[in-house]
Amino acid sequence: MAAPERRAFAQRISRTVAAEVRKQVSREYGGSPQLSKKRSGSQQLVPLTEVVEPVDFEEYLAAHPPEVEPGPLRDLVEFPADDVEVVREPRECRTLEPGLPDEGKLDARVRDAVQVYTEDWLVVRRKYQRLSTMYSPHTAERQRQRQRGLPRQVFELDEAAEEPEELKRRSPSLDDTPRGSWASSIFDLKNSVADPLLPTLLEHTAMEEVDRRNEELRKENRHPELLALFPAPDEDEAVERCSLPEVPREHFGQRILVKCLSLKFEIEIEPIFGTLALYDIKEKKKISENFYFDLNSEQVKGLLRAPGAHPAISTLARSAIFSITYPSPDIFLVIKLEKVLQQGDIGDCCEPYMVMKETDTAKNKEKLEKLRGAVEQFCGRLGRYRMPFAWTAIHLLNIASTAGALEREAADAESERRGTWNERKRRTLERVSAGEEPCSFGSFRPATLTVTNFFKQEGDRLSTEDLYKFLADMRRPSSLLRRLRPVTAQFKVDISPAPESPYYCLSPELLHVKPYPDPRVRPTKEILEFPAREVYVPHTTYRNLLYVYPHSLNFSSRQGSVRNIAVKVQFMAGEDPSQALPVIFGKSSCSEFMREAYTAVVYHNRCPEFYEEFKLRIPPALTDNHHLLFTFYHVSCQPKQNTPLETPVGYTWIPLLQHGRLRTGPLCLPVSVEKPPPSYSVLTPDVQLPGMKWVDNHKGVFHVELLAVSSVHTQDPALDKFFTLGHVLEESNFPVRLRDAVLTESSVEGELRASVAGLRGAGLGPLLAHCHQVLDKLLLLIARPPVIGGQIVNLGRAAFEAMAVMVNQIHQGLEASQGQHGHNPLLAAYIHFAFRLPAEPPAPGSEAGTPPHGAAIQCATLSRASGRPASLNLSRSKSISSSNPDLATAPGSPDGEVQKILGSKGIDRSHSWVNSAYAPGGPKAVLRRNPPSSSADLKQVPLPLLRFACQPRRAPAGPPARPALTPAGGERGLRRLFAVPRHLRPGWAGRSGADPAWGTGWGGLIHHVSPLLHPLVPLTPLLHRHGPPQACERSSNRLSSFLEHPSAPAAPTRPTAKKLLHEELALQWVVSTSAVREAVIRQAWFFFRLLGKSMALHLHQAEKLEAPRRERFPSRFVDDIAALVGAVSIEIATRYQKDVELVECLNSSLAFFLNDLLSLMDRGFVFGLIRAYYKQIGNRLPSAQNPPALVALRLDFLRVVCSHEHFVSLNLPWHRLSPPASPSPSVSSATSQGSAFSSPAQDPRVASMFELSGPYRRQHFLAGLVLTELALVLEPDAEGEPQSTRAPGHCAGG
């Protein structure tokens, strides 16, 4: 072959590019007379701007099962039966022990708290959701992690670009190469290495074997997640991204580890005890509990230890972990030292440590021996008492400002640049809200310090306020600290960031934190934090601690020898001395729990100040007899004959429960000179008891403060009242005292309603800390109304309103921590992990106050009708409406009742969901006008409200009859519908008791009812889903407002009102008033998620997850969902310009909700909801001032809905007709006589599936919406024109 000639096969290669092929195919298709004829034929032309009605998905599935050959494609087209699952995830426990109160009698608060904090997480999981882009793990950060391990790819072109110029000159040019190939212009073919030979090239090999080899070769050196290397979408633009919330867990701030290594003085003669704590001088607050340590030698400890006594290992800790939630440059680590009480002032007792030196030991040997002898006497006699000695402080900012901090700042800057959108937003808001330079203790270089200067404690400057002044002066040298005499010592301490999971650690309750391999090892203690500001996190563990802080005592007017004063603190369960409980935590080198504890003694001071902290464990069952007893002693430091060691000089006490609430806060108490009389514990010392002597004429002389750190006691009046009334109803022990009032069975209902409404007055901190319990209780009131006096009290509306207000309050208080879609992560975590359906009522006899079997129970409201009988046998009555629990309707099917009413008044039922043109947003979404009549206003009443007021009852077999009623009968049904009192009916206006404001007749009633229905007018005519008769027969009662009764009289049970939560939530939302509706709209994501999970849990409990979609929910609930979506769509379409941020969140929340419904409900019905949304937006577009904003909302909505993991299956990608074998034929085949597009026998239905025709958009509904949006963007002039746009990428009808 000559050199310049080309190879024969190379000359015949077609050089036609793909664009030319598409153009030629388009010309061929566009000129097809058959196709043009089909377009202009009998097929109805639907504009692109109008959304077609989707096919009935479930019916289509039943009639056209996917006919796909077995293989991997079946997974794409079939909707898996196990798509939704309910999983119980064990709750993580940090400690080896559960940390629960001892078994026995538990307080109602403790019982509820233990249940909430120990239940496993209940998660509704879509098994294949990981395949969607909604919860895709392919984030930008993970992409960077994947790319770090990838080898750098070097291509031939890159090597050619880096070739030296000399080599390029030696390389043959393109014109010199024999074949003119690109490769030969770079490489010297003569010097190149030959490719390996293929020995089996000419051998016959089966196709399967070739495919297998090729598959193996493709897998060699292949990245395991090759497609995942595609760049992740920008976090700001990924509107469909919705990250899973984090598991609720105990809150910790930045943690530092402090190890106390040694403490040495110039002389070592007595035991010295140390205390560590953190203080924030800017906030003027102590931000941690005390940590007690003992660094004395065993010889010195022997001076105090009784023979055979062994301290608890938990009191031998020398290292502690402090948590700092709000880092600040004003935080100090304060070290205080104490010694055994001695005779003499603090200055006199410190003198030897300030004047004696270790180098002068031989010189001062005699003095040291004398001091040791005195110390032994004091330790033997006064060993239980302490006295202040010295103190110092470490400025933590000096520790963090090291080279390690510079490295940390560089790392933070890199994470700031690389973090996700939510992380960047959160960090920015935190810094802005702080208003100061960031200060962090999370990462710094460990430091070992030797503190050499301690300051002698001043007896008259022991208060916390004096300490804050000293700490402020430590930052800037002043004369105040120079006046303090230093005590020379060497305190060696190591400060470092705490490890992630430290070994041998004890929790603040002294529980062993995992990992804890050996219980005999000296532990490290976790120190409880008292944050400088409120930390808004819910409680997740049981904690019930009480801290007692005595501040000062004024005995200046107390007669007698009262100088060396010590205060003994005891936690009493009664008034007998033996009833002191061992609940006081020990300090150092002592027992783990003690029955009594003492304050330090200031020598010869009648008005001492105290700095102690006593930590107590609150018993799980508090009663009115539990109290703190303070006994004041005068301690005789010098032994005298006939003089006791301690003499009681005063008593006072604090009852822990006050009107059922835990008593906390600062108190100023009077002190009694004499021992309290019997039964004193139920009274406060403020009560002037007869015959008792008080110090300073019963004035307050003892200042003390109580601080509770409890996940049981809320310490909020509104929450306490709400929980207390709930417990009162559970126990039904009437009468009961609530604060200053006595509640009876007749008055508790009003208090309960007031407590539910009063939740809006709760503080944000306590409300969020106990939000899991509050939400559980409110949902319980909605689904399980309480029974009071044999009557079921309906609190659904009040509870729903309180929940809406609560969620808004939490959102407004934590606006800085919201996610990308405006979701609060704490509330999202509650729904995802903690929320579960309200529990079934307790078994008979397990609850106090259960009415006897067969007792009459009736529904009741706050104001019951006077003419109503006192009781009503529910076993013979019908179930009641949630909106009007006093309503008693005549027997009849609810659907039949509504049909009768509508039929009698001439309302056209063509305005139904099937006739979707009349759905909200449809072009005919108005009611037809009827001739004027007295009931014309009734046409504005939404259908769910009509059904809501009707009597639920199982429909008889077969379609419901619609008998024509006389006008009188119809009016009678309407009166019964609204439960019109007799004196308000026509003809009764002149009777006594009639309200003239109501007018006379039915028109007067409508006049007053219509304002209540006005917010619901946009919802009419309401969407209605018609199902088969079987579904109607299986439909449950109206929003599950039914009563369960035993079928066999032999086993009677307590009658209770049982409702299905998801139905009640939907109904309460639909019928909510304007104020409540606005609150719900603003946090619609919360209620949508709550509704979705409750639906899934209901299906799981009822074992309906594998049932046909149409049989899962009753038609009335379907109506409510349709009304709900219609109302939200109207809000989006009407408020998109004035509330931009709100509408964006509302739009995404609705889209995510419909995405969830595609896995739970009738998919055709959900498609109808999507169509209704589109119609609302489309109707608004022609008159919109900013149409692009509405279109952007619609595209975001569609993007979220189409992110469903079963998007392919939802588009019904199969067709019962055989489509052409090659939907994208080659150029030659396009002109062949056998082409399906030119065949005279071509089926028009097949041809219509290859363009955006009505059938295509009906069957492939979601894909049709996407392609329609694309077509409208590419051809904006085509809006309103009949579609002729082809469906790109369509293959085999899908």
Side-chain angles (χ1 to χ4, degrees):
M1 183 180 294
E5 295 180 358
R6 290 197 176 196
R7 293 184 180 181
F9 73 88
Q11 296 175 355
R12 299 187 182 185
I13 293 179
S14 175
R15 298 297 179 183
T16 308
V17 296
E20 296 178 0
V21 174
R22 287 194 292 269
K23 290 181 181 179
Q24 187 171 357
V25 172
S26 178
R27 286 195 296 270
E28 292 291 338
Y29 293 170
S32 173
Q34 292 86 356
L35 208 55
S36 301
K37 184 177 180 181
K38 301 300 183 293
R39 290 198 195 101
S40 59
S42 60
Q43 190 171 299
Q44 184 181 1
L45 302 177
V46 184
L48 288 177
T49 53
E50 184 175 335
V51 185
V52 299
E53 184 177 354
V55 298
D56 192 318
F57 194 96
E58 310 303 332
E59 183 178 345
Y60 189 93
L61 275 184
H64 308 91
E67 298 175 356
V68 181
E69 61 185 26
L73 291 180
R74 180 175 293 275
D75 296 335
L76 291 177
V77 299
E78 285 190 342
F79 215 97
D82 59 344
D83 182 43
V84 179
E85 60 180 358
V86 178
V87 181
R88 287 186 177 272
E89 296 183 358
R91 184 188 289 256
E92 179 185 2
C93 184
R94 295 181 60 245
T95 58
L96 298 178
E97 306 90 351
L100 301 178
D102 298 334
E103 295 183 0
K105 184 179 180 181
L106 299 179
D107 185 79
R109 298 181 181 87
V110 177
R111 184 177 63 250
D112 288 349
V114 168
Q115 180 179 359
V116 170
Y117 303 144
T118 57
E119 284 182 330
D120 292 335
W121 305 125
L122 193 63
V123 179
V124 175
R125 182 180 301 162
R126 282 152 59 177
K127 292 181 62 176
Y128 307 96
Q129 199 169 31
R130 68 185 185 278
L131 305 177
S132 70
T133 57
M134 188 182 304
Y135 294 99
S136 174
H138 305 319
T139 59
E141 182 63 28
R142 186 169 179 182
Q143 295 295 89
R144 288 190 290 268
Q145 294 177 359
R146 291 196 187 101
Q147 294 169 3
R148 290 170 188 163
L150 290 178
R152 185 174 181 270
Q153 302 292 329
V154 180
F155 300 94
E156 296 173 352
L157 186 61
D158 299 330
E159 292 180 344
E162 300 173 359
E163 254 188 326
E165 291 295 329
E166 184 180 354
L167 183 58
K168 289 184 179 180
R169 288 195 296 269
R170 288 198 310 233
S171 300
S173 63
L174 181 62
D175 299 333
D176 298 335
T177 55
R179 293 179 299 176
S181 66
W182 172 78
S184 59
S185 67
I186 301 175
F187 301 102
D188 189 355
L189 297 180
K190 295 181 180 180
N191 298 329
S192 62
V193 181
D195 293 336
L197 298 177
L198 302 176
T200 61
L201 180 61
L202 301 179
E203 295 180 3
H204 176 72
T205 308
M207 295 294 294
E208 294 77 6
E209 180 64 19
V210 175
D211 292 341
R212 186 189 63 80
R213 291 179 182 178
N214 291 339
E215 185 178 358
E216 293 178 355
L217 292 174
R218 283 195 299 268
K219 291 181 179 180
E220 290 183 1
N221 301 324
R222 186 176 184 180
H223 194 273
E225 295 177 330
L226 183 62
L227 297 179
L229 294 178
F230 187 80
D234 190 355
E235 300 290 339
D236 298 344
E237 299 179 358
V239 295
E240 78 279 7
R241 186 66 58 83
C242 186
S243 58
L244 290 174
E246 296 183 0
V247 179
R249 52 172 52 92
E250 186 178 356
H251 166 78
F252 292 103
Q254 298 178 8
R255 309 216 297 172
I256 60 173
L257 174 63
V258 180
K259 295 181 180 179
C260 303
L261 303 179
S262 62
L263 177 63
K264 296 181 62 178
F265 290 89
E266 294 290 341
I267 57 176
E268 185 179 1
I269 58 176
E270 60 181 330
I272 303 295
F273 307 96
T275 304
L276 294 179
L278 292 179
Y279 289 81
D280 190 329
I281 61 172
K282 182 180 180 180
E283 300 291 339
K284 288 191 174 182
K285 184 176 181 181
K286 182 183 180 187
I287 61 173
S288 78
E289 64 174 345
N290 286 344
F291 168 63
Y292 304 95
F293 62 93
D294 182 358
L295 298 176
N296 298 293
S297 63
E298 292 297 327
Q299 180 182 1
V300 174
K301 289 181 182 179
L303 297 175
L304 293 174
R305 189 176 301 166
H310 298 282
I313 192 171
S314 62
T315 64
L316 301 179
R318 295 181 177 178
S319 56
I321 296 178
F322 291 87
S323 176
I324 304 175
T325 298
Y326 298 106
S328 167
D330 304 299
I331 297 178
F332 285 82
L333 178 65
V334 178
I335 303 102
K336 294 182 180 180
L337 302 180
E338 294 179 341
K339 55 184 293 185
V340 176
L341 177 62
Q342 299 178 13
Q343 182 180 1
D345 188 66
I346 298 177
D348 299 336
C349 298
C350 293
E351 190 70 22
Y353 294 91
M354 293 185 287
V355 298
M356 291 187 179
K357 303 296 181 182
E358 187 178 6
T359 55
D360 301 335
T361 303
K363 180 180 177 181
N364 300 322
K365 183 177 181 181
E366 184 177 349
K367 292 182 179 180
L368 289 176
E369 291 297 331
K370 185 177 180 180
L371 288 174
R372 287 193 180 96
V375 164
E376 289 182 3
Q377 293 181 3
F378 288 126
C379 288
R381 185 170 181 270
L382 304 174
R384 72 168 67 177
Y385 304 105
R386 303 284 183 266
M387 66 180 298
F389 177 36
W391 70 275
T392 191
I394 300 174
H395 194 189
L396 288 186
L397 184 62
N398 297 333
I399 307 299
S401 300
T402 59
L406 298 179
E407 299 172 3
R408 169 185 51 77
E409 291 175 4
D412 287 349
E414 180 68 14
S415 64
E416 178 77 15
R417 182 178 64 84
R418 291 184 172 183
T420 62
W421 182 89
N422 290 333
E423 294 171 349
R424 295 197 303 270
K425 179 181 177 182
R426 177 177 55 81
R427 283 194 290 262
T428 302
L429 290 173
E430 285 178 355
R431 293 183 180 181
V432 171
S433 61
E436 57 188 13
E437 291 296 323
C439 175
S440 175
F441 302 107
S443 176
F444 59 91
R445 184 173 299 172
T448 301
L449 307 178
T450 301
V451 182
T452 57
N453 286 331
F454 282 80
F455 302 100
K456 178 179 69 70
Q457 286 277 18
E458 302 290 338
D460 55 349
R461 294 184 178 180
L462 295 177
S463 67
T464 307
E465 292 297 328
D466 292 322
L467 178 62
Y468 290 138
K469 294 178 182 179
F470 288 138
L471 294 177
D473 291 330
M474 290 188 71
R475 301 183 61 180
R476 53 186 187 278
S478 65
S479 60
L480 183 61
L481 285 179
R482 294 194 188 102
R483 292 199 300 265
L484 300 179
R485 297 187 61 184
V487 177
T488 305
Q490 288 186 350
F491 176 56
K492 197 171 183 179
V493 60
D494 183 85
I495 303 177
S496 62
E500 188 81 21
S501 300
Y503 283 81
Y504 309 110
C505 193
L506 295 177
S507 71
E509 290 82 10
L510 303 182
L511 303 175
H512 298 82
V513 180
K514 303 173 184 176
Y516 209 107
D518 190 353
R520 297 170 296 179
V521 178
R522 188 191 301 271
T524 298
K525 283 187 176 181
E526 286 183 349
I527 302 304
L528 191 64
E529 180 187 9
F530 305 144
R533 299 185 296 276
E534 194 80 56
V535 177
Y536 298 109
V537 292
H539 292 307
T540 57
T541 56
Y542 176 81
R543 174 162 289 160
N544 209 10
L545 301 175
L546 181 67
Y547 293 85
V548 182
Y549 297 95
H551 288 318
S552 63
L553 178 69
N554 186 359
F555 266 10
S556 57
S557 60
R558 174 71 162 82
Q559 299 179 355
S561 177
V562 182
R563 293 177 295 176
N564 308 327
I565 301 176
V567 183
K568 182 173 72 173
V569 181
Q570 292 175 294
F571 193 106
M572 307 295 294
E575 299 173 1
D576 191 90
S578 62
Q579 292 181 295
L581 300 178
V583 294
I584 304 176
F585 285 77
K587 294 184 177 181
S588 59
S589 301
C590 59
S591 302
E592 194 166 71
F593 290 97
M594 310 178 70
R595 297 181 182 272
E596 58 189 29
Y598 291 85
T599 62
V601 177
V602 181
Y603 188 73
H604 281 194
N605 193 334
R606 299 174 67 90
C607 301
E609 294 177 333
F610 309 103
Y611 56 84
E612 275 79 13
E613 172 187 273
F614 299 104
K615 179 180 178 181
L616 296 83
R617 185 175 58 184
I618 301 178
L622 280 180
T623 64
D624 293 336
N625 292 324
H626 284 95
H627 63 283
L628 292 175
L629 178 61
F630 300 92
T631 307
F632 303 90
Y633 291 99
H634 167 73
V635 181
S636 299
C637 297
Q638 184 178 2
K640 295 181 181 179
Q641 189 176 7
N642 299 328
T643 302
L645 174 63
E646 55 184 23
T647 305
V649 294
Y651 304 87
T652 192
W653 65 95
I654 302 177
L656 286 179
L657 288 182
Q658 185 178 23
H659 304 313
R661 291 186 57 204
L662 183 66
R663 195 173 185 183
T664 57
L667 301 170
C668 184
L669 305 176
V671 176
S672 169
V673 177
E674 301 174 349
K675 194 173 182 179
S679 303
Y680 73 92
S681 60
V682 297
L683 302 174
T684 63
D686 299 324
V687 178
Q688 182 74 50
L689 298 176
M692 288 190 65
K693 295 182 180 180
W694 300 87
V695 177
D696 200 6
N697 198 23
H698 202 246
K699 294 181 180 179
V701 296
F702 178 54
H703 291 266
V704 63
E705 184 176 0
L706 302 185
L707 172 66
V709 181
S710 174
S711 59
V712 177
H713 301 277
T714 65
Q715 304 176 67
D716 183 273
L719 295 179
D720 278 337
K721 182 178 180 181
F722 176 69
F723 286 131
T724 300
L725 286 173
H727 301 144
V728 167
L729 291 177
E730 292 177 3
E731 299 173 358
S732 299
N733 292 329
F734 295 101
V736 64
R737 176 174 290 276
L738 181 65
R739 298 182 182 176
D740 297 331
V742 177
L743 298 182
T744 61
E745 203 168 20
S746 59
S747 61
V748 69
E749 179 184 345
E751 290 291 337
L752 181 60
R753 291 183 181 275
S755 69
V756 173
L759 288 176
R760 66 181 61 204
L764 180 60
L767 181 64
L768 192 50
H770 299 270
C771 66
H772 289 194
Q773 296 186 54
V774 176
L775 290 172
D776 285 348
K777 292 291 185 183
L778 290 176
L779 293 172
L780 182 65
L781 289 177
I782 294 175
R784 302 287 185 272
V787 178
I788 302 177
Q791 297 175 333
I792 300 173
V793 180
N794 193 332
L795 295 173
R797 180 177 177 179
F800 185 80
E801 179 178 353
M803 186 162 53
V805 174
M806 171 184 172
V807 173
N808 270 276
Q809 183 179 352
I810 293 175
H811 266 265
Q812 293 172 5
L814 303 180
E815 188 174 1
S817 62
Q818 292 181 10
Q820 183 177 1
H821 297 289
H823 299 179
N824 182 276
L826 302 180
L827 293 176
Y830 164 77
I831 297 176
H832 187 78
F833 294 100
F835 164 69
R836 62 194 66 229
L837 295 180
E840 293 293 334
S846 63
E847 185 178 17
T850 302
H853 301 308
I857 297 180
Q858 72 178 46
C859 294
T861 56
L862 181 59
S863 57
R864 302 185 179 95
S866 58
R868 185 183 180 88
S871 62
L872 179 65
N873 192 344
L874 285 183
S875 62
R876 300 183 58 186
S877 68
K878 306 302 175 185
S879 54
I880 36 142
S881 167
S882 298
S883 61
N884 189 356
D886 283 334
L887 181 64
T889 61
S893 167
D895 287 336
E897 184 73 14
V898 174
Q899 295 287 355
K900 293 176 182 179
I901 297 172
L902 298 179
S904 64
K905 295 303 173 183
I907 295 181
D908 191 352
R909 284 303 299 267
S910 62
H911 297 185
S912 65
W913 178 251
V914 176
N915 191 352
S916 54
Y918 295 94
K924 303 178 182 179
V926 293
L927 286 176
R928 299 179 180 178
R929 294 185 178 271
N930 281 357
S933 65
S934 61
S935 59
D937 292 334
L938 179 62
K939 295 175 177 54
Q940 300 299 324
V941 181
L943 182 58
L945 187 59
L946 295 179
R947 287 186 170 174
F948 177 59
C950 287
Q951 178 61 38
R953 183 179 177 183
R954 186 178 299 276
R962 301 176 62 180
L965 297 179
T966 62
E971 187 171 298
R972 187 183 310 112
L974 289 175
R975 289 199 195 98
R976 185 170 61 250
L977 179 66
F978 289 99
V980 185
R982 294 181 60 87
H983 68 274
L984 296 181
R985 300 180 184 178
W988 286 75
R991 299 293 183 95
S992 59
D995 188 354
W998 282 82
T1000 58
W1002 183 253
L1005 177 61
I1006 290 294
H1007 173 74
H1008 289 270
V1009 172
S1010 57
L1012 302 178
L1013 305 179
H1014 179 70
L1016 304 178
V1017 171
L1019 305 184
T1020 58
L1022 209 54
L1023 306 177
H1024 178 64
R1025 178 72 172 174
H1026 287 286
Q1030 294 81 358
C1032 296
E1033 294 174 10
R1034 283 185 291 268
S1035 62
S1036 62
N1037 297 335
R1038 176 61 187 148
L1039 287 138
S1040 189
S1041 182
F1042 60 89
L1043 304 175
E1044 289 188 346
H1045 298 284
S1047 57
T1053 59
R1054 177 183 179 180
T1056 57
K1058 175 183 176 183
K1059 307 177 182 180
L1060 295 182
L1061 181 61
H1062 61 279
E1063 298 183 348
E1064 285 296 312
L1065 289 174
L1067 182 66
Q1068 293 296 341
W1069 191 343
V1070 168
V1071 302
S1072 57
T1073 57
S1074 57
V1076 179
R1077 179 177 300 176
E1078 179 64 22
V1080 176
I1081 284 294
R1082 291 194 171 274
Q1083 311 303 334
W1085 72 269
F1086 175 85
F1087 293 94
F1088 275 138
R1089 284 195 178 185
L1090 191 68
L1091 183 58
K1093 184 173 181 181
S1094 60
M1095 292 169 61
L1097 293 179
H1098 163 69
L1099 294 178
H1100 173 72
Q1101 289 188 359
E1103 299 181 352
K1104 289 185 177 181
L1105 280 175
E1106 298 182 2
R1109 295 293 186 103
R1110 287 184 172 175
E1111 299 179 9
R1112 294 184 177 183
F1113 299 101
S1115 59
R1116 291 176 296 278
F1117 174 67
V1118 173
D1119 290 342
D1120 291 337
I1121 294 296
L1124 189 56
V1125 173
V1128 174
S1129 302
I1130 293 175
E1131 294 284 343
I1132 295 172
T1134 55
R1135 301 173 61 172
Y1136 75 98
Q1137 201 161 3
K1138 51 184 178 180
D1139 295 322
V1140 178
E1141 186 176 355
L1142 170 63
V1143 168
E1144 288 180 355
C1145 296
L1146 184 61
N1147 188 66
S1148 63
S1149 301
L1150 177 61
F1152 282 118
F1153 177 62
L1154 296 184
N1155 188 296
D1156 292 335
L1157 292 188
L1158 287 173
S1159 298
L1160 299 174
M1161 297 187 73
D1162 181 348
R1163 287 156 287 196
F1165 166 70
V1166 181
F1167 287 166
L1169 298 179
I1170 298 173
R1171 181 172 182 263
Y1173 168 87
Y1174 255 75
K1175 282 184 170 291
Q1176 285 291 348
I1177 301 298
N1179 293 343
R1180 193 72 178 180
L1181 276 175
S1183 60
Q1185 298 180 2
N1186 188 10
L1190 270 180
V1191 174
L1193 288 172
R1194 189 172 67 185
L1195 288 175
D1196 289 345
F1197 174 88
L1198 185 60
R1199 184 170 175 177
V1200 173
V1201 172
C1202 291
S1203 65
H1204 198 280
E1205 61 271 22
H1206 301 302
F1207 175 77
V1208 176
S1209 303
L1210 291 171
N1211 282 286
L1212 300 174
W1214 61 91
H1215 200 278
R1216 58 191 179 95
L1217 300 176
S1218 298
S1222 178
S1224 299
S1226 63
V1227 177
S1228 58
S1229 62
T1231 59
S1232 65
Q1233 295 295 326
S1235 174
F1237 291 92
S1238 58
S1239 174
Q1242 179 188 4
D1243 193 321
R1245 287 173 292 180
V1246 176
S1248 66
M1249 299 307 290
F1250 291 89
E1251 59 186 7
L1252 279 179
S1253 61
Y1256 179 93
R1257 294 159 64 190
R1258 278 173 50 82
Q1259 178 172 338
H1260 314 297
F1261 183 67
L1262 296 180
L1265 291 178
V1266 175
L1267 297 176
T1268 300
E1269 295 285 359
L1270 177 62
L1272 291 176
V1273 171
L1274 297 179
E1275 300 182 33
D1277 297 336
E1279 294 190 12
E1281 298 293 333
Q1283 78 248 22
S1284 60
T1285 308
R1286 299 189 180 279
H1290 182 75
C1291 179

